[in-house]
Amino acid sequence: MTISVFDLFSIGIGPSSSHTVGPMRAACRFAEGLVEDGLLGQVAGVRVELFGSLGATGHGHGSVKAVILGLEGERPDLVDPAEGQPRADRAVRERRLRLAGRQEIDFSPDDVVLHRGATLPVHPKAMTFRATDARGATLSERTFYSVGRGFVVNESESGEPQLVPDTTPVPYPFDTGAQLLEHCARERLPISSVVLANELSWRSEPEVRAGLLRLWEVMRECVDRGSSTEGVLPGGLDVHRRAATLRARLEATSQGTDPLQTLEWVSLFALAVNEENAAGGRVVTAPTNGAAGIIPAVLHYYDRFVPGSDDDGVVRFLLAAAAVGMLFTENASISGAEVGCQGEVGSACAMAAAGLAEVIGGRPEQVENAAEIGIQHNLGLTCDPVRGLVQIPCIERNAVASIKAITAARMALHGHGTHHVSLDKAITTMRETGAAMSVVYKETSRGGVAVNVVEC
């Protein structure tokens, strides 16, 4: 299976790629399917059932809102984040929904069922959509799985997730870090150039560059919004936004008085993104929403504090980071519901470390080493959001991992690229650790900090 950079990085809304973006895409796809099959005019009602972690933390992750908006034909990359919750609230209040943006149908909050304890056997994040006519007869029923990064796959007739692999031939195919380094050594290319050459199998170089710089623009806009907005995050935990206050404090402090002030800025960048994500704002899934602040924070560090930074460096950063993300996707998982937060924050930390190492002069072996350091010291990280909200401990966790990524990149450049634990071995270890991890630590909010914090 061939993975594009733009499969790993996409524009969506918070708070979760798999619980918000995925369900919205699935709901929209279901509604579009009714149109394509000529059934829309016969539909009188729709029932949606969310299973596994979608059911366990659906309210906290905005899954219900996402389903309503998706059924009305909205897409996560185009929907206005500010209008999302009011529209969902209006549908509940008026008990009416505009299916596919065309067909008015009756709607009740009970039409979206969250099964907190039930799962489907194929995947921990499943959802079933059923459209009925005026007599209650089923017109269409489809099951989707949210498999991470906002991706959704259909269920085939055999009951298995139906993911059609992209078999586009690329000049430098790789499934492991070792294969990637072999290409770099043989062709004498940096990792970013190998990934770019593969990306040209789908689109032109100007299109790749424009697409990556568009992602960078959205990241910067997100940091700007997050660091200028005050208030309390939604959800009932009474979590106050901190990025705006921190920004004001840093801007009021003269540069150079504190040798650690640079790290404060990096923390600010990450906090800003993840506070926006928690509020349902527009973010770049990088590679998930729960870990969306790490790559933007480290990219901002490069842009602001590394001499000679430019747009070419941003492009190379994202290409190198994507290479590492592809390895996690192919050989383990980036889904908190499958392997815990080591799959989200851990993979994002490794990706950011690789991207930074690439643009500050690292050789391919050092870039690979940076990624390995980034993931190795996140192994075993649990996903235990309090009340299912992507706030505690998620927001601070992004800030800490951003600093860790910078440390990993700089540490790797002080070495020669040789190390005892390869990136491939670290990814394998992450997969095995996730398999051994109890389900209560996999995004269900039934273990860890989630059950040891008094909710006020």
Side-chain angles (χ1 to χ4, degrees), residues 326-397:
M326 293 170 191
L327 295 176
F328 278 98
T329 302
E330 286 282 344
N331 300 299
S333 173
I334 59 170
S335 169
E338 291 185 89
V339 294
C341 199
Q342 58 173 357
E344 297 199 35
V345 163
S347 64
C349 180
M351 293 167 67
L356 181 60
E358 175 88 5
V359 296
I360 61 175
R363 301 188 308 276
E365 296 82 4
Q366 293 171 313
V367 173
E368 184 260 1
N369 187 194
E372 179 271 326
I373 296 171
I375 182 56
Q376 184 173 175
H377 302 289
N378 280 291
L379 291 175
L381 194 61
T382 58
C383 185
D384 47 357
V386 176
R387 202 187 286 178
L389 298 167
V390 191
Q391 298 180 19
I392 302 172
C394 319
I395 296 173
E396 289 180 353
R397 190 169 280 174

Side-chain angles (χ1 to χ4, degrees), residues 183-301:
H183 288 310
C184 293
R186 184 179 62 252
E187 304 296 333
R188 296 185 178 181
L189 291 173
I191 287 176
S192 58
S193 293
V194 169
V195 178
L196 175 60
N198 288 346
E199 201 64 31
L200 298 182
S201 301
W202 291 284
R203 47 187 65 83
S204 69
E205 186 168 350
E207 288 174 325
V208 174
R209 179 182 173 85
L212 292 176
L213 291 178
R214 170 57 181 155
L215 294 173
W216 172 226
E217 180 184 9
V218 174
M219 290 178 184
R220 285 182 295 168
E221 291 171 351
C222 186
V223 168
D224 286 342
R225 287 195 309 272
S227 61
S228 59
T229 304
E230 299 179 334
V232 177
L233 294 172
L237 284 181
D238 196 32
V239 174
H240 289 253
R241 286 178 178 254
R242 288 176 287 177
T245 301
L246 179 55
R247 176 179 178 176
R249 185 179 302 135
L250 289 173
E251 289 179 341
T253 305
S254 59
Q255 293 289 336
T257 58
D258 183 352
L260 295 181
Q261 193 175 83
T262 297
L263 301 186
E264 298 277 15
W265 278 101
V266 175
S267 295
L268 159 65
F269 301 142
L271 293 173
V273 171
N274 285 90
E275 287 173 357
E276 274 296 293
N277 179 64
R282 191 172 307 286
V283 300
V284 174
T285 301
T288 67
N289 280 35
I294 299 167
I295 287 175
V298 179
L299 251 181
H300 274 78
Y301 165 80

Side-chain angles (χ1 to χ4, degrees), residues 209 213 302 310-317 359:
R209 179 182 173 85
L213 291 178
Y302 164 73
D310 56 18
D311 283 350
D312 289 337
V314 171
V315 169
R316 290 189 293 117
F317 182 112
V359 296

Side-chain angles (χ1 to χ4, degrees), residues 132-145:
T132 56
D133 63 17
R135 296 170 300 176
T138 298
L139 295 169
S140 177
E141 181 173 331
R142 297 178 70 182
T143 295
F144 299 87
Y145 301 96

